[in-house]
Amino acid sequence: GGMKMYGAKELDIILSHLKKHEIICIADEVLTGFYRTGKMFAGDYLDEKADIICLSKALTGGTMALGVTGCTARIYNSFVSNNKNKTLFHGHSFTANPLACTAALASLELLNKKSCRNKIKVLVARQEKFLKRLRPFLQTVVITNLRCLGTIVAFEVKTTDGDGYLNSIAEIFTPFCMAQGVYLRSLGNTIYVMPPYCTRKKELKKIHNVVIKFLQKHQA
C-alpha cells in the first residue's frame, strides 16, 4: 500500500498488545522477504513474531509462481483432528507443483551463497548513496517522505492531486522512464526503486539517473 514503512519498535508494541488478546497476527512477507529489507524477513527486525507468514515472489527468484504459508505449531495443531469440521477446506490448483518447488530450492540455494549475500549488501550501499542524491529535492519540496530500508528506496512526488493511487503523476512517470530505456512504475505519486539482486552497477546508475532527471523536469 504505497511502500509505507513502520518502525520496528512501534510494531513490536502493537504485536505485543494483540498477542495479549490472543489475536492472530499475519506477516505478509511476499514483497519484503528474502533480504529485500536488508534482513531475511522484515519480521527479523521485531522481537515479537507473527503467527502466520506468507511468502512468494523471491521464493523462486521470480522464475515461477509459487506461494508458501507457514504457521506456528499452535495454528497448525488447530486443524489436526479427526473432526472434519476442523478441516482447513482450502487449496490451490498449483499446490506443491514439483517444478515450482524445484525452482524454489535452487533459488534458495543461490540466495544463501556468500557471493549473493555480498551482492545484496553492495546493492543496499548503492541505494543509500542514491538516497543522498534525492535529499536536495526534499528541501525544494519536490518530494516528501523520503525513505530507505534495505534495497528499497521510496518517496512521494509533491503534486496538487494529493497522495494516492489515483494521482496523475503515474500517467507521465512510466512513459518518461520508458523513453529513457528504463521500465519503472509508480504507485500513484509514490515512486520506488526496488531493483533485482542481479542488477549491475551500470544498470542501477542508469535507473537512478532517470529518476533524478524526472524530478528535475518536475521541479522545472
Side-chain angles (χ1 to χ4, degrees):
M3 291 289 169
K4 292 180 174 64
M5 297 182 185
Y6 304 90
K9 183 180 178 181
E10 289 76 16
L11 283 176
D12 263 330
I13 293 171
I14 293 171
L15 261 68
S16 177
H17 177 74
L18 294 175
K19 285 178 177 294
K20 286 178 183 176
H21 293 274
E22 296 189 332
I23 295 172
I24 294 173
C25 301
I26 303 174
D28 182 352
E29 296 266 12
V30 167
L31 183 142
T32 57
F34 307 104
Y35 300 104
R36 183 51 73 184
T37 65
K39 294 194 177 188
M40 182 62 167
F41 300 114
D44 289 340
Y45 287 98
L46 305 174
D47 293 324
E48 296 286 348
K49 301 301 177 184
D51 303 289
I52 297 173
I53 185 171
C54 305
L55 305 171
S56 189
K57 294 187 187 294
L59 181 63
T60 60
T63 57
M64 295 192 73
L66 180 68
V68 170
T69 302
C71 64
T72 61
R74 177 188 169 216
I75 301 294
Y76 175 80
N77 288 330
S78 297
F79 296 100
V80 180
S81 173
N82 291 325
N83 183 351
K84 292 184 178 180
N85 288 323
K86 289 191 175 183
T87 301
L88 179 63
F89 290 107
H90 183 70
H92 295 286
S93 300
F94 298 101
T95 294
N97 178 290
L99 189 57
C101 289
T102 302
L105 290 172
S107 177
L108 291 173
E109 184 179 343
L110 290 171
L111 190 68
N112 285 319
K113 285 187 175 181
K114 188 176 180 180
S115 57
C116 183
R117 301 275 289 277
N118 287 337
K119 283 182 180 179
I120 295 172
K121 288 179 181 178
V122 170
L123 193 59
V124 170
R126 287 173 182 163
Q127 288 286 72
E128 288 174 350
K129 286 184 178 180
F130 180 46
L131 195 73
K132 293 178 181 178
R133 293 182 64 189
L134 291 168
R135 290 196 191 283
F137 293 99
L138 282 171
Q139 298 169 3
T140 53
V141 203
V142 177
I143 64 174
T144 61
N145 195 21
L146 179 61
R147 53 208 183 271
C148 177
L149 182 63
T151 64
I152 307 169
V153 169
F155 57 87
E156 275 72 56
V157 178
K158 196 74 175 177
T159 70
T160 56
D161 293 354
D163 296 337
Y165 283 100
L166 300 180
N167 189 286
S168 60
I169 204 77
E171 298 172 9
I172 59 174
F173 178 67
T174 296
F176 177 87
C177 294
M178 289 287 281
Q180 307 289 321
V182 173
Y183 176 64
L184 290 171
R185 70 183 185 96
S186 64
L187 305 170
N189 66 320
T190 299
I191 290 177
Y192 66 98
V193 176
M194 196 174 68
Y197 300 151
C198 60
T199 306
R200 298 187 179 95
K201 181 179 180 181
K202 185 178 179 181
E203 294 169 333
L204 188 60
K205 186 177 181 180
K206 183 175 182 179
I207 293 169
H208 290 168
N209 288 339
V210 168
V211 174
I212 295 293
K213 282 182 183 178
F214 176 81
L215 295 176
Q216 288 171 337
K217 183 180 178 182
H218 182 71
Q219 182 176 249

